[in-house]
Amino acid sequence: MGVLLLLAACKPRTPRQYIQPDDMEDILVDYYMARAMAQRESFSHQQREYHTALYTDAVFSKHGVTQAQFDSSLVYYYTRSDRFYPIFERVNERLDEKALVLGASEGEIGKYARYNATGDTANVWPDRPTALLLPQPPYNHWDFSIDADSAYRRGDALMIMFMSDFMYQSGAKSGTVYMALDYGDTVVSRSQSFSVSGLTQMRLPEDTTRTIRRVHGFFYLGGADAPTPSTRLLFLSDVQLIRFHTRKADDDNDEQPAEADSLASDSIRGRLDADSARSGDSLRQGDGPLPADSGAALHRVVLRHDSAASR
């Protein structure tokens, strides 16, 4: 009994002027959900900022804390990794449980939610749809890997889309999404940077002569090379990976092979370009949409190797 009391006495405690760990966890979950809802609505930039403030104020009111108390407590935990990381992990776990509540509804991010994984257009994302990232490793990246099943066809195209919300007190915001399609003897990859909150989408052109075998990639938050006590968090939500069948099932049995230099069918190119024109580019806020492929941040790397040697 004496040993237990001694261990309890030695356990570090959070000073009373800061929000206690369990309460901070509850507030962070609600805070994240409030900001995610505000970002997902079809508001203008000014309206989104207004509703973000409105929703987060409601969270503070619910928990009986002020913005100043929350900010100072967040800085306290953020600069003490031994206390913040357990909170960070529990928040991610609870957000997983609330995925249905946070699920996409209306607007650009939600229009594919009704599709199942076997249709011509399908959301095939297998992992949780939410995550919280910090600049410090190993919490600054979120990896994913998907083995293609029998529902994948030759010529399929993929597009990843998600909502991002940067919570920064200072410093440059720097997020990156990377995705690679493994065709067996060819790997096609693309990465895209994003630095503002809102919708991000990135598509990879299909290879009409091959079938995808595996999809892998990661989300990454930069800034670890410039340590700072200022809070820097990235919330990701509504992550979706949309697969488009660009060829009819009967086409796979055709004796005539597709042309090797055809990277995208007219139908899927038109559909994706129309989608991108409606949503705009996530690299900037503004009234005018940008094509999803614009900007020097996009690139495509093709790696080829001898398939016989690889075996």
Side-chain angles (χ1 to χ4, degrees):
M1 185 66 176
V3 174
L4 294 177
L5 291 175
L6 180 61
L7 290 175
C10 294
K11 183 179 179 180
R13 296 183 178 180
T14 302
R16 296 180 60 182
Q17 67 266 33
Y18 300 116
I19 300 172
Q20 298 302 298
D22 290 345
D23 294 331
M24 193 65 183
E25 177 186 330
D26 292 339
I27 295 172
L28 274 174
V29 170
D30 288 344
Y31 183 84
Y32 169 83
M33 293 178 63
R35 293 178 67 95
M37 287 188 294
Q39 292 295 330
R40 196 166 51 241
E41 298 291 350
S42 300
F43 296 136
S44 67
H45 178 56
Q46 291 77 13
Q47 290 174 324
R48 191 176 291 115
E49 287 187 337
Y50 168 77
H51 282 86
T52 298
L54 183 67
Y55 294 166
T56 53
D57 284 347
V59 170
F60 298 145
S61 177
K62 170 186 174 181
H63 292 277
V65 300
T66 65
Q67 174 83 57
Q69 288 175 314
F70 175 76
D71 289 343
S72 62
S73 298
L74 193 57
V75 170
Y76 170 80
Y77 286 110
Y78 187 82
T79 55
R80 290 162 177 80
S81 59
D82 60 324
R83 301 189 187 184
F84 188 66
Y85 287 161
I87 297 176
F88 165 90
E89 292 176 336
R90 289 194 299 270
V91 168
N92 265 332
E93 290 173 359
R94 290 177 60 179
L95 289 176
D96 292 348
E97 297 171 359
K98 294 179 178 290
L100 292 178
V101 177
L102 289 169
S105 54
E106 300 297 326
E108 184 72 17
I109 194 66
K111 66 182 179 179
Y112 298 109
R114 67 182 183 275
Y115 294 112
N116 59 43
T118 59
D120 286 345
T121 301
N123 177 17
V124 295
W125 181 253
D127 208 338
R128 65 180 190 265
T130 62
L132 171 62
L133 301 183
L134 308 175
Q136 297 83 7
Y139 303 98
N140 59 345
H141 63 89
W142 179 23
D143 302 329
F144 60 89
S145 180
I146 306 165
D147 291 325
D149 56 23
S150 59
Y152 283 74
R153 299 178 188 167
R154 181 157 51 98
D156 281 349
L158 291 175
M159 176 174 69
I160 192 167
M161 57 195 303
F162 56 92
M163 298 298 295
S164 61
D165 182 16
F166 287 92
M167 183 180 162
Y168 270 48
Q169 291 181 327
S170 65
K173 304 169 184 176
S174 177
T176 302
V177 56
Y178 167 89
M179 187 165 66
L181 308 183
D182 186 349
Y183 291 98
D185 61 348
T186 302
V187 175
V188 178
S189 67
R190 175 169 286 177
S191 66
Q192 180 169 328
S193 299
F194 55 97
S195 57
V196 296
S197 300
L199 172 65
T200 296
Q201 60 183 27
M202 180 181 70
R203 70 175 188 251
L204 277 79
E206 72 274 22
D207 186 332
T208 58
T209 66
R210 295 175 174 84
T211 301
I212 298 170
R213 295 186 179 182
R214 181 170 170 262
V215 182
H216 61 94
F218 58 82
F219 297 91
Y220 173 78
L221 178 62
D225 55 341
T228 173
S230 299
T231 302
R232 296 179 180 178
L233 302 175
L234 171 60
F235 296 105
L236 299 174
S237 64
D238 294 328
V239 180
Q240 300 180 53
L241 180 62
I242 311 303
R243 184 194 63 214
F244 301 93
H245 285 330
T246 63
R247 300 166 55 90
K248 295 181 180 179
D250 293 341
D251 290 346
D252 291 335
N253 299 321
D254 292 346
E255 295 182 0
Q256 295 295 330
E259 295 182 10
D261 61 349
S262 174
L263 288 181
S265 65
D266 292 339
S267 59
I268 189 60
R269 189 192 302 276
R271 189 191 321 167
L272 290 176
D273 287 345
D275 291 343
S276 301
R278 283 194 298 271
S279 65
D281 192 290
S282 64
L283 297 181
R284 74 174 188 185
Q285 299 277 3
D287 296 329
L290 291 174
D293 277 56
S294 66
L298 296 181
H299 64 274
R300 180 175 141 217
V301 178
V302 180
L303 305 175
R304 299 184 183 274
H305 59 272
D306 189 341
S307 58
S310 66
R311 291 193 295 269

